[in-house]
Amino acid sequence: MIRPVVAGVDGSSEGFAAADWAAREALRRGLPLRLVHAWEAGLPEGAPASVLPELRAPQQHARHVLRTALDRLGERYPQLAITAEQVDRLPVPALLAESERGELLAIGSQGPTGLGGFVSGSVALATVARSERPIVLVRGGTAAEDEHLPDADGAPSVRTPCREVAVAVDVDEPSDDVLAFAFRAADLRRAPLRAVHAWHLPFAHGFPDAAARQARLRDSAARELAELLLPWREKFPTVPVLEVCHEGRPAHVLVPAAADASLLVVGLRRRHAPPTPRTGPVAHALIHQVGGPVALVPHD
C-alpha cells in the first residue's frame, strides 16, 4: 500500500506552510499528497437546506479551506497527485488517524486557535505526544527558498543546493528509526547530514582533574558517535556526514546547531505509561525554539 504524505490544513498561514512543505516532500519521495481538514459540525453530509446557516459554517469553512489549498498547491506543483478530505472529527484524533495511514504528517507548529484548530499549540503538542508515526512541524512563513543555500549574490533561491539536515543523536539510547529518517532526508535532498551529540559532565568544574575528565568524556563521546554512524555511512555512501559533539544540555546544543539546517530530526521516545501523553523536555523546547521545520520521529 502506498502511504501518502499528509498535511493538516485549517486556513491559516501556518497550515498552508505545512501543506506547501508536505507537497515538496511528497515530490521528493515520489508519493501523493493528502490534505485533511477536521471539522465537527454535528451535521450529516446530506442535511436539509432548512438547517440554520450557522450550523453549516464549519462544513462550509472546511470546503473553502480545502479548495483554496488544492488550487494553490495544484498551481505550484502541477505534477503532484493531490487529494483532499473533510474529516468530521476533533483535530487531535483526526490527525492521529491520518498519521497512521501516512508516510509522515506535516502540521503547522504555531498559530491561532479556532475553527479546525490544527495549528494551536495544544493541538500540535497533543498530536506529537500520541503519534506513532513521524510528524513534521512547520512554522508559518516557511518557503521553498528557506531549504536552499543563497545564490552567489546572497539572494534566496530554489536552484541552489539544499541546506544540510541536522539530527540529534543519543549515543546512550540510539534509535535506528531516527537515523534512518535523517539519512534518508539528507539523501533525498542531496544534502550533508550534521549529526549532533550533546554530552554533559556534571559537577566537574572546580575539581583538580576537571579538564582531564572533560577531555576524556569528549573523546569518548566522539568515538561512540563515530562508531554508531559508521554502518549508516556505509548504507548511504553519497551522504556527507559531519559529526559534531558539544558539551551542554541537548536543547541548548541543538537549537544553534539547527539554525541553518533545512530540517532538524529529533527522536521522541514513546511514553506508554503516563495517563496523559506528553512530549519530552528536549522535544518540547525544540518545538518552541527552532525556527525551521522539525521532524519528530517516535521510537521505543
Side-chain angles (χ1 to χ4, degrees), residues 188-241:
L188 289 169
R189 290 162 174 75
R190 299 181 181 178
L193 178 66
R194 178 184 292 266
V196 184
H197 171 56
W199 59 275
H200 182 61
L201 181 60
F203 310 117
H205 300 290
F207 285 81
D209 63 342
R213 294 173 62 194
Q214 186 179 45
R216 287 196 299 270
L217 187 56
R218 180 180 61 247
D219 293 343
S220 175
R223 183 171 57 255
E224 291 175 346
L225 179 61
E227 292 173 354
L228 177 64
L229 295 177
L230 181 58
W232 293 98
R233 285 177 175 270
E234 295 172 348
K235 187 174 181 178
F236 292 89
T238 62
V239 175
V241 181

